[in-house]
Amino acid sequence: MRSRRLVLLTAVTLVLLLAGGAYAKTTLTFWNGFTGPDRPVVESLVQQFNDENPDIEIEMDIMPWDSFMQKLMPSYIVGKGPDIAGLGAELLPRLVEAGVLAPIDDVFTETSVPRDVLAPFAVDAATYKGKLYGTPMSSFALLMYYNKDHFTAAGLAPEAPNNWDEWMQAAIKLSNPPQQYGMVLPTKESPAVWPLLMWSNGGGILGEDGEVLIDSKETKEAVSFWADAVHQHEISPVGLIGPETDKLFQTGKASMHIVGPWMTAGFTEAGLNYDVAPIPEGPKTRATAGGVTSMAVSKQAGADPEKRKAVYRFLEFWNSEESQIKWALGAGFPPNRIDIADSPEIMAHPWVPKFAAGLTYAQGYLVGTPKFSEIESDVYEPAMESILLGKQTVEAALDEAGQKLRELVK
Amino acid sequence: MFIGNPKQKKQPIARHNQHIAYLFLFPSLAVFMVFIIYPIGFSLWSSFTNWSLIQSAEYVGWANYVRLWKDQRFWNAVYNTVVYTVGVVPIGTMLSLALAVALNQNLKGTKFFRTAIFLPVVASTAIIAIVWTFLFDPQIGLFVYYLSKIRITMGAWLRDPDYAMLAIIIVSIWKNVGFNMVIFLAGLQGIPYSLYEAAKVDGANRLQMFRYVTLPQLRPTTAFVIVMSVLGSFQVFDQIYVMTRGGPLYSTETLVQYIYHHGFVTFQMSYGATIAMFLLVVILALTIFQLRLFDRPID
C-alpha cells in the first residue's frame, strides 16, 4: 500500500517536472541603480514586459549606484554578473576592456528600433572603439534650475540669465551668505557642473582625441572666473557634494542650481516657485553635460543564442514608442527616441521638452576612457577642491592636475 | 588551556581527549582558515603581482612596495591614521574611565546614564554617521544651531580640511565610549572592597585611593581597552566613508580608506593588498608591543 503510494507520488512529480520543463522560461537578470523617484517607472515597465512575454522573465535588482559598480565588476569577473546592466557611459570602457561585455552591433537590424530614431548622443555613449555595447536606457542633459521668488526678491526679472556676465551679476546679487547662495557649485559626487563651465569657455578635462585640456588657458580662465566669485562673493559654499547642492536649492538656500531632470519631482513637492532653463551661454559656446545609462549586455548572455534573443526583445520593448512615452512622462527624463520628442503627449509635459532640447548639444563627461574613476578621484576632484579651499592657486592646481593626467593617459 | 597540560600528556586517555578537543575546535578553525588565513595569504601573494581584476596577475617583485614607499598619498593616509588614533584613544579611554568611576557609585539615575551612554554602541556606525552628518550640517545642523546660541560659530566642519578629522574623532569617541565604560565598570567591580578598607585604615583620601588602589588594580582592564581601541582606530572606516569619504582633500583619508580606494574604486587590487600588508604588520607590531608593555603583575 505504502510503496504504491510512493510510486504514484513519484510519477506525479515527474509529470509535473516535465510539464514545467515544456514551459521553460528564459530568465534574464537585470541590474541598475534607479533608486530614486524613477524607480516605480522602471519597475512598472519591467512588470509590463514580463506580463506580455510569458516565455521571458526579467529578474531585476535595483541598488544604489555606488554599491552597483562595486558589485558589478567582481560579479562579472567570477561569471555571475547580470545579463543586462544599466551602466553609466563613463563606466562602459573599463568593462569592455575587462572583456565582460558583448558587442551588439546587429541590434538595430535584428529589432524594430532602428539606430536613427535614437538620440545620437545616447547611442554614441555606448560605443567604444567602433563597437556598440548597449542601447540607451535613459539619457539626460543638465539644465539650470532657478528660484523665481529669489529673483523677484532681489529686484531681478524672474528670468534665467543668458550669458556669463548676466549670470555672474545675478549670482552675486542673489548671494547673502550663509542664508542664501547665488549659484551652488559642487565638486564631488555630483553632475559635471565644473566641466560644463570649462567647456563653455572652450576648455575641459580631456579632449575627444584624448588630449589633456585641464591645464589649458581656456580651462584656467573659466575656473578662475567662477572660483574668484566663490572666494570674493561667496556665491556658493565650498566643498559641496551633489546631494548637498540639491538640499540647498530645495530648502530655498540656493537661488541657481545645475542638475538633471530627476530633481523636478522633489523641488515641486517642496513647493518651490522655480523654472528650468538652458545653461547660460559661455564666452566660447553654450555647453551642457549629458549623461547616458546604457543597457549593456554581458558576454555570457551575448554568447547564448536563446538569451541573446530574449535580451534583444527587452531592449526593443524598452525603446519602443509606447514605453518611451511612459518613461518620459513617468520619470521626467527626455525620451531616448528623437522621433517622439515633439509628440503632443511629450510637449504637454512642463519639463521634459526642455531637457530634450538640452540633449541636442550635450556632451559626455569623461566618457570613452577606461581610466574614468582614476581621473575623477585622483585628478579632477582634488584639483577643484584645493582651488576652492584656497590651498592652491588656479594656475598651480591645474598645472599639477595636467601633469598627473598626462601620466595617467599616456 | 587543558590541551597542553603536561601532567596529562603521557596518559592515553588524555591523548584521546586531545583528538576530541581538535574535533570540537574544527568548525571555528575551519572558518578561521577560510576567512582569515587564506585571504591574508592571498593578499600577500597579490601584493607581489599586478593583479587588477581586469588583467590576469603577473609577478612584479617588490614593485608595489617601492611604489608604496614613494607614494605621498599613502604617507598622508598613515599620518591621518596616527592623528585619528592619537585623538581617539587617550581621550576615549580617560573619558570612559571617568564615566565608569562616576557611574559606579550607588547614586540615583546611574542605570539611566549607563544605558544612555551605552546606546550608541549598539547602533550601527553607518546610521550614527548619517545622523552626525546632519548634526554638523551648517544649514540645518542642530549641533551648529545650539553652538550658535551660545555665540560659538562653527563653519562646515565636514567640508573643511582643518576640522573634518576633529569631527570624525568626536563622533568616534561618542560612539565607543559606552563600550569601554562597561569594560571599566566590570573591572571596577572586580576590585576587592577590602583593599579600599585597608587604604582607609592607612588614612588615604579618595584621590589617593584612586591613584594607589583603583588604577593599579585596573591595569589589565586598561590594557585591554587601550589595545582594543588602538586596533579599532587603525582600522577605522565606516564613519569616514559615510561622513567625508576621506575628503576634503584627503584630510580624513586613513589607511583602510586608501585600501578601499584601490580595491573598489580604481580596482588596483594588488596595490590595495600591498597597503593592507603594511597595515597588518603595523597592527601586529603595535599589539605585541602593547601586550608586552602591560604584561606586568599587579603590584
Side-chain angles (χ1 to χ4, degrees):
Chain A
M1 188 63 195
R2 189 172 252 183
S3 67
R4 201 182 290 168
R5 201 184 282 170
L6 200 70
V7 170
L8 196 71
L9 203 71
T10 316
V12 168
T13 316
L14 268 175
V15 166
L16 280 174
L17 271 175
L18 287 174
Y23 292 107
K25 281 187 171 187
T26 309
T27 304
L28 297 175
T29 47
F30 174 31
W31 294 4
N32 63 68
F34 284 81
T35 50
D38 29 34
R39 180 183 188 136
V41 191
V42 178
E43 283 172 339
S44 80
L45 279 169
V46 168
Q47 183 63 46
Q48 187 191 338
F49 178 81
N50 281 340
D51 293 344
E52 288 171 7
N53 297 274
D55 56 330
I56 303 173
E57 175 79 24
I58 305 265
E59 277 177 6
M60 183 164 62
D61 202 348
I62 300 182
M63 57 197 99
W65 286 118
D66 55 345
S67 50
F68 175 76
M69 192 54 191
Q70 288 160 24
K71 215 175 135 180
L72 191 67
M73 185 73 109
S75 313
Y76 271 140
I77 300 296
V78 297
K80 304 236 181 236
D83 299 316
I84 308 169
L87 206 61
E90 66 282 359
L91 302 172
L92 193 113
R94 169 160 253 153
L95 288 166
V96 174
E97 292 287 342
V100 297
L101 298 183
I104 53 164
D105 290 279
D106 58 345
V107 70
F108 296 124
T109 47
E110 295 287 309
T111 68
S112 66
V113 180
R115 182 186 200 113
D116 54 8
V117 303
L118 296 170
F121 168 68
V123 177
D124 291 346
T127 311
Y128 182 61
K129 292 189 175 164
K131 282 195 171 134
L132 183 77
Y133 289 93
T135 56
M137 176 172 179
S138 74
S139 47
F140 66 85
L142 302 179
L143 290 188
M144 192 169 79
Y145 288 66
Y146 61 102
N147 188 317
K148 289 203 265 187
D149 290 345
H150 285 190
F151 274 64
T152 320
L156 297 163
E159 281 160 20
N162 283 314
N163 54 49
W164 273 27
D165 285 331
E166 285 178 34
W167 193 8
M168 183 57 80
Q169 277 163 18
I172 294 171
K173 205 159 182 194
L174 289 161
S175 292
N176 177 27
Q179 274 81 42
Q180 190 175 314
Y181 295 93
M183 170 68 219
V184 279
L185 296 163
T187 36
K188 259 189 174 178
E189 294 167 49
S190 77
V193 176
W194 280 99
L196 78 84
L197 294 174
M198 298 170 186
W199 299 335
S200 301
N201 196 42
I205 297 175
L206 202 59
E208 252 175 60
D209 308 316
E211 73 272 28
V212 171
L213 296 178
I214 198 166
D215 52 1
S216 70
K217 192 172 130 277
E218 290 80 8
T219 306
K220 285 176 182 166
E221 273 172 15
V223 172
S224 297
F225 186 75
W226 289 98
D228 288 351
V230 171
H231 291 145
Q232 286 161 21
H233 304 284
E234 268 194 79
I235 62 166
S236 168
V238 169
L240 294 174
I241 59 169
E244 287 176 321
T245 55
D246 297 337
K247 202 169 63 193
L248 285 169
F249 190 80
Q250 187 153 358
T251 52
K253 303 220 177 234
S255 308
M256 293 184 277
H257 175 33
I258 292 175
V259 74
W262 55 87
M263 285 315 294
T264 51
F267 293 162
T268 306
E269 211 169 279
L272 291 181
N273 180 19
Y274 72 99
D275 201 356
V276 298
I279 310 288
E281 192 173 349
K284 294 277 156 60
T285 179
R286 189 189 291 279
T288 190
V292 178
T293 303
S294 304
M295 290 189 182
V297 183
S298 77
K299 186 152 246 172
Q300 281 156 320
D304 176 344
E306 198 81 16
K307 276 200 169 178
R308 194 183 178 99
K309 231 188 245 168
V311 168
Y312 277 21
R313 282 241 297 274
F314 182 62
L315 300 186
E316 182 178 34
F317 164 82
W318 188 270
N319 280 323
S320 69
E321 282 186 33
E322 190 201 347
S323 306
Q324 276 305 301
I325 288 175
K326 272 189 195 159
W327 168 247
L329 300 183
F333 276 69
N336 297 329
R337 291 177 75 116
I338 43 179
D339 60 338
I340 55 163
D342 46 9
S343 68
E345 295 106 304
I346 299 281
M347 292 307 281
H349 193 279
W351 319 113
V352 168
K354 295 188 182 186
F355 283 100
L359 263 191
T360 55
Y361 60 93
Q363 298 180 46
Y365 158 62
L366 286 178
V367 290
T369 164
K371 294 271 173 88
F372 165 78
S373 312
E374 288 93 327
I375 298 174
E376 178 171 68
S377 71
D378 299 352
V379 177
Y380 157 71
E381 286 177 352
M384 292 315 302
E385 270 192 309
S386 129
I387 290 168
L388 292 171
L389 289 164
K391 300 274 168 189
Q392 272 180 305
T393 61
V394 172
E395 188 77 23
L398 293 184
D399 280 340
E400 194 186 314
Q403 235 171 30
K404 277 200 254 175
L405 186 52
R406 279 193 185 84
E407 195 68 27
L408 264 178
V409 295
K410 83 174 174 210
Chain B
M1 284 241 257
F2 73 95
I3 305 174
N5 191 333
K7 270 186 189 164
Q8 291 183 356
K9 231 175 192 171
K10 283 175 188 134
Q11 296 164 10
I13 184 130
R15 202 168 298 147
H16 178 67
N17 278 344
Q18 268 185 40
H19 293 306
I20 291 187
Y22 282 117
L23 194 69
F24 279 117
L25 276 176
F26 175 75
S28 53
L29 216 59
V31 169
F32 182 71
M33 294 302 280
V34 171
F35 290 104
I36 310 275
I37 297 298
Y38 170 72
I40 290 177
F42 188 79
S43 290
L44 181 64
W45 168 78
S46 57
S47 72
F48 290 99
T49 69
N50 61 358
W51 183 48
S52 70
L53 268 190
I54 300 171
Q55 292 133 351
S56 54
E58 282 164 39
Y59 178 74
V60 294
W62 290 89
N64 284 323
Y65 290 90
V66 174
R67 178 177 164 193
L68 197 68
W69 180 252
K70 294 181 188 157
D71 184 355
Q72 280 180 9
R73 198 167 152 189
F74 162 72
W75 290 110
N76 171 63
V78 173
Y79 172 78
N80 287 336
T81 310
V82 172
V83 168
Y84 175 85
T85 308
V86 169
V88 165
V89 178
I91 299 175
T93 309
M94 283 190 268
L95 193 64
S96 46
L97 176 60
L99 286 169
V101 171
L103 294 180
N104 199 33
Q105 322 288 327
N106 240 340
L107 297 173
K108 248 192 177 170
T110 48
K111 276 194 183 134
F112 169 77
F113 282 107
R114 278 185 208 175
T115 316
I117 293 164
F118 192 72
L119 218 50
V121 177
V122 287
S124 128
T125 311
I127 289 169
I128 278 177
I130 291 172
V131 170
W132 275 92
T133 310
F134 278 112
L135 291 176
F136 280 131
D137 189 290
Q139 263 79 37
I140 56 165
L142 275 180
F143 196 78
V144 183
Y145 175 77
Y146 287 128
L147 279 182
S148 75
K149 286 279 157 195
I150 53 167
R151 312 234 158 181
I152 297 175
T153 45
M154 64 176 268
W157 275 17
L158 295 177
R159 291 185 220 137
D160 187 333
D162 299 330
Y163 287 98
M165 187 54 101
L166 180 62
I168 302 270
I169 288 174
I170 291 175
V171 175
S172 306
I173 290 177
W174 178 81
K175 158 91 174 122
N176 290 324
V177 79
F179 180 77
N180 293 338
M181 177 192 74
V182 168
I183 308 278
F184 274 125
L185 271 173
L188 283 173
Q189 276 160 12
I191 302 175
Y193 193 67
S194 56
L195 290 178
Y196 290 105
E197 280 176 334
K200 215 180 255 172
V201 170
D202 288 346
N205 62 27
R206 290 186 73 127
L207 204 68
Q208 284 168 327
M209 279 199 259
F210 179 74
R211 167 70 186 81
Y212 294 105
V213 179
T214 313
L215 272 188
Q217 287 293 317
L218 274 183
R219 172 131 24 85
T221 317
T222 316
F224 177 77
V225 166
I226 290 180
V227 171
M228 292 309 283
S229 303
V230 169
L231 277 179
S233 297
F234 265 80
Q235 300 174 64
V236 60
F237 180 78
D238 315 26
Q239 54 268 56
I240 295 178
Y241 181 75
V242 175
M243 293 174 74
T244 63
R245 305 247 161 157
L249 259 186
Y250 312 129
S251 61
T252 56
E253 187 170 74
T254 57
L255 280 167
V256 182
Q257 278 284 322
Y258 197 41
I259 293 171
Y260 172 83
H261 174 78
H262 285 291
F264 295 99
V265 177
T266 63
F267 295 109
Q268 297 170 16
M269 290 288 176
S270 57
Y271 192 54
T274 312
I275 307 165
M277 279 300 122
F278 173 87
L279 184 60
L280 178 78
V281 171
V282 168
I283 289 184
L284 199 66
L286 265 177
T287 309
I288 292 173
F289 171 74
Q290 291 180 83
L291 289 177
R292 285 266 165 83
L293 192 71
F294 289 114
D295 192 21
R296 284 184 294 157
I298 299 168
D299 35 43

